[in-house]
Amino acid sequence: MRIIVVGAGVLGLSVAGRLARAGADVLLLDRQGAGTGTSATTFAWVNSSRKPDPAYHRLNVEGMVEHARLAGRLPGARAYFPSGALQWADAASERWLGENVERLRALGYPARWVTREEAARLAAPLRVPDGVTALAHFPGEGYVLPDVFVRGLLTDALGHGAAYATAEVVALDEVPHGVAVTLAGGEVRRADRVVLAAGRWTHRLAAGAGIDIPMVTGTGRGAATVGLLGYARSPRLGLRCVVHSPGLNLRPSSGGHTVLQALDLNAEVDPARPPAPDAEVARILAGRFSALLDGSERGPEIDLRVGFRSLPADGRTVAGYASADSRVYCLVSHSGITLAPLLGRLVAAEVTTGEEQELLGPFRPTRFAGARRSEFEVDQRATGLGEQ
């Protein structure tokens, strides 16, 4: 079976590798290069902490399990770290955290309360601020180093026979017995199936093939898709786990560096004019980071990067064909880092065998058919504790 995978982010790479392992003839295409879209600017927290829909929660829990399975066979440096995660609430968020911990416990999701002293040990070397009133630990969660993860997935796919090229796909057309993929230069590639895993470009490419994948598409100032990350080059902390604190989220990165995220600052970010190193948002981010340090370090050095989330309009993963006779398999998710290993396995199985995978049943694009957008669209601006 000849299969073209459009998009070499973590989802497309995972699917391509699994398809190649299954013996398919795989061509992986990306307009800019592997891992240069949303996968390059992600907080990369592996979790199912705030997924109230039962089917979506279950999918993400299975995604967490699949990461551990994949880590043992993915080539290259270690990319997945089951470090656990902490959430620190203040008076404004304590009630929400308490309710979420109880909800997750009822579902069998590991969550426990910890003391300030234990939290400080788990997250060393951070200081727990005086305003923190409740602290929860989620031992089953973790994080990924996205660049290392992308390299490992690409190496795995190529090692099992997949071909890879940097090329912009401008059109998909279903033709008798297959799909014609038109590239920017006019070249046409043909395949038996196409897996469309183009992240935030999925909506446009799908629409050109007559497929409706409703997504949040705004990219202007304050849009829900816009996300600001800070990459702290110094001080080198050696943070031990993911931390969500009032006003600032943190995760470890390579070389003792730290990735920072202040969700409320996203509303101030205009991607057309990315913030300069001395911008107000940069000073706020540095100030919040400094407030969690013990005071012995000099002022932090932080590089800023603006990215775009891939957001299906109802907030849930899309995985499947748009109709019974379609040959274009659509795959897009806001939980791409958590779900990539699992979706890679499940989607490859569906495409190569035609057998539906039960976990993916609730996430078909057919759920949007005949519905008005107002009936399913949700506000996905992430601003609170435990959101992404």
Side-chain angles (χ1 to χ4, degrees):
M1 180 181 285
R2 173 72 165 169
I3 303 170
I4 295 177
V5 179
V6 180
V10 292
L11 292 183
L13 287 164
S14 296
V15 173
R18 284 289 189 167
L19 288 169
R21 280 175 173 268
D25 180 2
V26 180
L27 173 62
L28 178 63
L29 300 173
D30 194 278
R31 61 184 303 203
Q32 295 175 318
T36 56
T38 297
S39 298
T41 49
T42 170
F43 190 64
W45 171 34
V46 177
N47 77 98
S48 190
S49 178
R50 201 162 179 175
K51 309 291 194 303
D53 174 75
Y56 198 34
H57 174 78
R58 181 187 174 199
L59 188 71
N60 280 265
V61 167
E62 291 299 323
M64 296 163 66
V65 173
E66 195 74 24
H67 262 288
R69 294 182 184 140
L70 177 64
R73 65 167 180 78
L74 201 63
R78 182 184 180 192
Y80 166 61
F81 297 82
S83 64
L86 289 163
Q87 292 187 21
W88 303 347
D90 56 15
S93 53
E94 181 178 352
R95 179 177 177 180
W96 176 86
L97 180 59
E99 292 174 349
N100 199 47
V101 166
E102 294 310 309
R103 179 185 67 84
L104 291 171
R105 281 176 165 175
L107 293 169
Y109 191 85
R112 65 191 185 98
W113 297 109
V114 294
T115 64
R116 297 172 65 87
E117 293 73 23
E118 187 175 4
R121 289 195 301 271
L122 288 167
L126 294 183
R127 182 181 68 85
V128 181
D130 293 339
V132 170
T133 58
L135 307 98
H137 181 228
F138 304 89
E141 297 178 359
Y143 66 94
V144 161
L145 299 178
D147 54 342
V148 179
F149 193 39
V150 164
R151 287 197 297 271
L153 290 171
L154 180 59
T155 300
D156 182 63
L158 297 178
H160 286 88
Y164 165 64
T166 302
E168 181 180 3
V169 174
V170 296
L172 304 174
D173 296 288
E174 299 205 45
V175 296
H177 311 299
V179 185
V181 178
T182 304
L183 307 183
E187 182 182 1
V188 177
R189 299 289 189 97
R190 294 183 179 271
D192 300 299
R193 297 286 187 275
V194 164
V195 176
L196 179 57
R200 65 188 182 92
W201 294 279
T202 297
H203 169 77
R204 177 175 56 81
L205 288 171
I211 300 169
D212 182 25
I213 304 295
M215 295 184 65
V216 181
T217 57
T219 57
R221 181 186 181 95
T225 59
V226 176
L228 177 70
L229 291 178
Y231 295 80
R233 290 179 282 112
S234 69
R236 296 197 177 192
L237 293 184
L239 184 66
R240 294 180 182 175
C241 68
V242 178
V243 175
H244 293 78
S245 73
L248 191 68
N249 300 332
L250 310 92
R251 75 154 167 87
S253 189
S254 302
H257 296 166
T258 309
V259 178
L260 310 174
Q261 180 187 59
L263 295 172
D264 60 307
L265 299 183
N266 290 339
E268 307 301 322
V269 176
D270 182 354
R273 298 176 180 82
D278 61 349
E280 179 67 12
V281 293
R283 290 194 291 272
I284 293 172
L285 197 66
R288 293 180 186 179
F289 187 33
S290 296
L292 299 180
L293 306 177
D294 65 12
S296 64
E297 301 88 352
R298 62 187 178 88
E301 296 178 301
I302 302 172
D303 299 323
L304 300 179
R305 188 182 301 170
V306 178
F308 298 96
R309 299 177 172 96
S310 299
L311 300 178
D314 65 353
R316 303 195 310 155
T317 294
V318 175
Y321 297 104
S323 65
D325 57 354
S326 178
R327 298 181 182 88
V328 177
Y329 192 108
C330 298
L331 180 63
V332 61
S333 178
H334 178 39
S335 302
I337 286 289
T338 297
L339 294 178
L342 177 66
L343 291 178
R345 175 169 64 82
L346 298 180
V347 172
E350 291 198 330
V351 171
T352 56
T353 70
E355 297 178 4
E356 293 194 357
Q357 303 297 300
E358 181 263 336
L359 277 172
L360 297 183
F363 304 102
R364 306 305 188 192
T366 50
R367 68 182 186 264
F368 301 115
R372 295 188 299 271
R373 190 171 178 121
S374 61
E375 296 175 8
F376 55 76
E377 188 169 27
V378 297
D379 186 353
Q380 297 181 67
R381 287 178 177 82
T383 58
L385 184 69
E387 292 184 334
Q388 280 297 298

